[in-house]
């Protein structure tokens, strides 16, 4: 038991300070009961035959042989009732399947200032815990943002996004309708937090409701709220006023919580951003282990604790899709796709031979000892590249070679940016660039940028028909293309490998002094201006290129 006594809630609320965590836990436990079965997508358990015999039960399920005693041996019948010796049929029940995703639409407008926001936080903690227990994805939308701009990640990341989300306007039924169109209708459990003004409005049947109003006051303000969960009221005791204020201002986060690897000295290697989520994926202790960690939004916030993912064989390539970790694993003389988390289409049925990918045991040994290669998802298929050869894999065992010049992740998991090389030209977004393939660098950046190295130190940048240039040292290496201050910007590593610079299309150059030095490995996020750096001593820093701040530190030992 920890100091704040969270027991089973500790894993969810451990990122909060002790007093704040206790206040959230107290409200969350009451909401947890009011919000119903955490695994149900709707409906109730249905009978599905008989599952055996019980010693107690309703008389309509009493065995006929025991009923016969009531007529021929009534005294024995009564004795057996008293001693629980009669037999009753036990009904098998088919439980609703857990959801594939839990979605929360948050009303962060003026009606939710103060105590109602505390109830939202407690509700978020409840659903985050359920998502963790059932290993499903949790996403949060902020009403007032672009419909469909769902945020995902661990609870500390979602808490940070919710904390910053305050909107000046109230939520309308039209706003909810627009978000409703972006839901996964087959597998998503959907909650609307807040929006009490819509209580009498027509709300899509897809949404369950949670909202609150202050109901009791003391000398320092509200002490209780009445929360309404799908029309049912539940009274919640608020934390004391000072703790409540700390929660709402974000001061209740354990700022001394450093994201260190769980075991002292545990090696973490080859940090990569394999997709659009703010998640860092690294090789762990051994070829069959990966470490996943969420990246916080700002330096003062705690991200998700690192999670080690163990696989049944050496990992050749991997990616993250929402809360899932997906890996291409060498095992039993073949290659399989293993998904940690909710099932992802039919990709976990893929089972092919090493030779289908042009690999043998020697090449596998080389791959698992080096860089963590990315997986891409393209219209239900897996795409992976080894030694400049790209392969498209469909379940269960269809493999064919494809010929892209480069691939980059986009904000949509199964629609990466693909640069095709065909008829002596590069094709991007269905448009011919008109530039012959010269065997030099090609990279895709965020904001749909394409960078092509047309000569030593000469990069040509394409974006939606516009063309611009970036010039760098002939011997320098372009690491990634990002969008900073409204301009395409190239992250460049000096010929000696010790200096990092930003070079943009306006000719401006900036040396990243505090990020330079003993660099063993560098990676750039495909859709956000994030930089991951591994030092020679094994420590990993993740920085925001837009602000120049370090967001995350992964050390080799606990402090």
């Amino acid at each position: 038991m920890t100091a704040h006594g969270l027991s089973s809630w500790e894993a969810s609320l451990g990122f909060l300070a002790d007093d704040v965590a206790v206040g959230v836990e107290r409200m969350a436990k009451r909401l947890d009961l009011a919000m119903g079965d955490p695994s149900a997508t709707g409906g109730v358990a249905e009978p599905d035959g008989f599952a055996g015999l019980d010693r107690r039960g309703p008389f309509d399920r009493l065995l006929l042989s025991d009923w016969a005693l009531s007529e021929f041996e009534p005294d024995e019948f009564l004795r057996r009732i008293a001693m629980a010796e009669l037999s009753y049929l036990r009904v098998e029940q088919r439980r609703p399947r857990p959801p594939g995703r839990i979605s929360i639409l948050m009303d962060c407008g003026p009606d939710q200032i103060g105590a109602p926001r505390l109830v939202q936080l407690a509700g978020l903690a409840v659903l985050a815990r359920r998502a963790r227990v059932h290993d499903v994805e949790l996403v949060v939308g902020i009403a007032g943002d672009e419909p469909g701009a769902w945020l995902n990640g661990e609870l500390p990341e979602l808490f940070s996004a919710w904390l910053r989300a305050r909107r000046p306007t109230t939520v309308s039924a039209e706003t909810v309708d627009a978000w409703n169109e972006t839901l996964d209708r087959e597998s998503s459990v959907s909650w609307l937090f807040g929006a009490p003004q819509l209580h009498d409005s027509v709300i899509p049947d897809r949404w369950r409701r949670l909202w609150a109003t202050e109901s009791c006051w003391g000398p320092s303000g509200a002490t209780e709220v009445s929360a309404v969960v799908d029309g049912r009221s539940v009274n919640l005791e608020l934390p004391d006023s000072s703790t409540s204020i700390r929660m709402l201002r974000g001061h209740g986060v354990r700022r001394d919580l450093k994201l260190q690897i769980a075991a002292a000295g545990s090696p973490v290697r080859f940090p990569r951003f394999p997709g659009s989520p703010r998640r860092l994926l690294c090789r762990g202790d051994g070829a069959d282990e990966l470490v996943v960690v969420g990246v916080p939004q700002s330096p003062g916030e705690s991200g998700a604790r690192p999670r080690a993912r163990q696989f049944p064989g050496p990992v050749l390539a991997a990616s993250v899709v929402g809360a899932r970790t997906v890996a291409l694993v060498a095992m039993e003389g073949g290659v399989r796709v293993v998904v940690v988390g909710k099932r992802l289409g039919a990709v976990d049925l893929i089972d092919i031979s090493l030779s289908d990918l042009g690999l043998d045991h020697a090449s596998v040994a080389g791959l698992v000892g080096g860089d963590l290669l990315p997986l891409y998802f393209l219209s239900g298929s897996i795409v992976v590249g080894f030694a400049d050869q790209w392969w498209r894999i469909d379940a269960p065992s269809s493999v064919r070679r494809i010929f892209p010049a480069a691939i980059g992740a986009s904000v949509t998991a199964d629609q990466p940016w693909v640069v095709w090389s065909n008829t002596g030209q590069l094709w991007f977004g269905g448009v011919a660039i008109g530039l012959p393939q010269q065997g030099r660098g090609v990279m895709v950046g965020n904001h749909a940028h394409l960078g092509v190295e047309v000569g030593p130190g000469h990069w040509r940048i394409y974006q939606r028909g516009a063309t611009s240039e970036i010039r760098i040292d002939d011997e320098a290496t372009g690491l990634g293309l990002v969008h900073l201050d409204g301009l395409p910007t190239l992250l460049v590593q000096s010929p000696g490998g010790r200096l990092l610079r930003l070079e943009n299309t306006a000719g401006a150059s900036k040396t990243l002094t505090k990020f330079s030095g003993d660099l063993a490995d560098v990676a750039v996020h495909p859709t956000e201006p994030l930089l991951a750096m591994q030092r020679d001593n094994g420590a990993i820093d993740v920085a925001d290129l837009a602000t120049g701040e370090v967001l995350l530190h992964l050390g080799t030992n606990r402090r």
Side-chain angles (χ1 to χ4, degrees):
M1 182 70 70
T2 61
H4 46 68
L6 290 177
S7 67
S8 63
W9 291 85
E10 180 182 359
S12 296
L13 299 177
F15 71 99
L16 296 174
D18 292 350
D19 58 336
V20 174
V22 168
V24 175
E25 179 205 12
R26 186 166 53 242
M27 292 190 294
K29 280 185 173 180
R30 288 186 60 81
L31 280 179
D32 194 23
L33 295 174
M35 293 170 81
D37 184 355
S39 65
T41 60
V44 296
E46 298 180 356
D48 188 24
F50 294 103
L53 298 178
D54 285 326
R55 287 303 182 186
R56 298 185 183 276
F59 283 115
D60 59 355
R61 294 210 297 269
L62 185 66
L63 292 184
L64 291 178
S65 58
D66 284 345
W67 268 121
L69 285 173
S70 66
E71 181 176 354
F72 298 105
E73 295 288 345
D75 291 339
E76 178 64 12
F77 180 75
L78 292 175
R79 187 193 69 79
R80 292 192 183 190
I81 289 178
M83 301 300 294
E85 293 179 0
L86 296 177
S87 296
Y88 304 81
L89 291 170
R90 181 191 309 133
V91 177
E92 179 68 63
Q93 292 183 321
R94 183 171 62 251
R95 295 286 179 183
R97 295 179 59 190
R101 187 169 85 163
I102 299 174
S103 307
I104 310 173
L105 179 60
M106 294 279 201
D107 171 12
C108 296
D111 296 325
Q112 299 300 297
I113 292 175
R117 276 179 67 81
L118 297 178
V119 176
Q120 287 190 4
L121 173 57
L124 176 61
V126 170
L127 295 182
R129 179 170 174 265
R130 294 182 179 186
R132 182 173 179 271
V133 168
H134 294 282
D135 204 10
V136 300
E137 183 182 24
L138 173 67
V139 295
V140 171
I142 306 299
D145 290 355
E146 183 70 22
W150 296 103
L151 307 171
N152 58 21
E154 302 290 341
L155 181 57
E157 302 166 82
L158 297 176
F159 168 80
S160 299
W162 166 83
L163 196 64
R164 293 191 306 274
R166 288 178 170 82
R167 301 294 182 264
T169 57
T170 58
V171 176
S172 66
E174 290 74 17
T175 298
V176 179
D177 287 340
W179 281 90
N180 184 59
E181 295 301 318
T182 70
L183 292 171
D184 180 353
R185 297 182 177 275
E186 293 184 359
S187 63
S188 179
V189 170
S190 315
W191 284 86
L192 173 61
F193 281 10
Q197 70 275 9
L198 300 183
H199 179 64
D200 297 322
S201 302
V202 177
I203 300 294
D205 293 337
R206 290 286 301 169
W207 299 97
R208 301 183 66 185
R209 297 284 313 281
L210 170 64
W211 56 282
T213 56
E214 297 174 356
S215 59
C216 190
W217 294 264
S220 300
T223 58
E224 290 186 10
V225 294
S226 176
V228 180
V229 183
D230 285 346
R232 302 185 303 276
S233 294
V234 55
N235 291 326
L236 302 176
E237 179 185 352
L238 293 172
D240 63 80
S241 59
S242 61
T243 302
S244 297
I245 291 171
R246 291 180 67 213
M247 283 189 201
L248 295 174
R249 292 181 178 176
H251 296 163
V253 177
R254 296 169 61 89
R255 298 186 185 279
D256 60 339
L257 181 64
K258 300 297 182 181
L259 293 177
Q260 305 293 336
I261 299 307
S266 176
V268 178
R269 306 160 291 146
F270 304 110
R272 290 294 177 264
F273 296 108
S276 61
R278 292 174 68 96
R279 290 174 181 266
L280 192 68
L281 189 61
C282 314
R283 287 196 180 277
D285 187 9
D288 59 351
E289 183 181 86
L290 300 179
V291 176
V292 188
V293 58
V295 178
Q297 297 283 346
S298 68
E301 300 167 0
S302 294
R305 291 180 180 275
R307 288 189 176 184
R309 306 292 197 192
Q310 202 76 31
F311 293 88
V315 176
L316 305 180
S319 188
V320 292
V321 180
R324 307 174 183 89
T325 305
V326 186
L328 195 65
V329 180
M331 51 188 296
E332 299 176 1
V335 177
R336 296 182 184 178
V337 173
V338 178
V339 180
V340 177
K342 198 69 177 177
R343 185 173 181 179
L344 183 62
V347 299
D348 57 352
L349 301 178
I350 290 175
D351 186 357
I352 56 179
S353 68
L354 288 173
S355 59
D356 289 336
L357 299 175
L359 301 175
D360 54 26
H361 292 289
S363 55
V364 166
L367 288 171
V368 300
D371 194 4
L372 181 60
L373 301 176
L375 285 180
Y376 297 101
F377 304 91
L378 183 61
S379 302
S381 302
I382 291 285
V383 175
V384 64
F386 303 112
D388 297 325
Q389 293 186 356
W390 289 90
W391 307 88
R392 181 167 180 167
I393 312 169
D394 296 293
S397 57
S398 173
V399 183
R400 63 185 183 277
R401 192 174 172 193
I402 58 175
F403 299 91
I407 301 180
S410 74
V411 294
T412 306
D414 65 344
Q415 296 178 19
W417 296 110
V418 183
V419 185
W420 297 103
S421 174
N422 190 22
T423 63
Q425 300 185 75
L426 296 179
W427 294 76
F428 185 56
V431 177
I433 301 297
L435 182 74
Q437 174 81 13
Q438 298 185 23
R440 306 197 68 87
V442 179
M443 66 174 67
V444 181
N446 55 13
H447 287 249
H449 292 142
L450 172 65
V452 180
E453 190 179 16
V454 296
H458 182 190
W459 285 83
R460 188 164 294 157
I461 312 300
Y462 300 85
Q463 185 189 29
R464 298 184 178 91
T467 304
S468 52
E469 310 285 332
I470 296 178
R471 297 279 185 166
I472 64 175
D473 188 294
D474 290 356
E475 301 298 323
T477 303
L479 299 178
L481 189 61
V482 296
H483 196 81
L484 293 176
D485 300 323
L487 293 173
T489 303
L490 192 65
L491 178 67
V492 179
Q493 190 169 21
S494 66
R498 297 186 60 81
L499 293 179
L500 296 179
R501 291 191 180 91
L502 293 174
E503 310 274 359
N504 67 22
T505 53
S509 178
K510 178 182 179 181
T511 300
L512 304 177
T513 306
K514 74 175 182 179
F515 300 151
S516 300
D518 54 341
L519 298 172
D521 200 6
V522 181
V524 181
H525 195 282
T527 61
E528 298 190 40
L530 299 177
L531 168 67
M533 303 155 287
Q534 184 155 34
R535 305 294 183 178
D536 288 344
N537 65 0
I540 296 173
D541 289 325
V542 178
D544 187 331
L545 288 172
T547 64
E549 296 177 311
V550 175
L551 304 178
L552 171 69
H553 173 74
L554 290 173
T556 55
N557 293 284
R558 283 189 179 275
R559 292 180 179 176

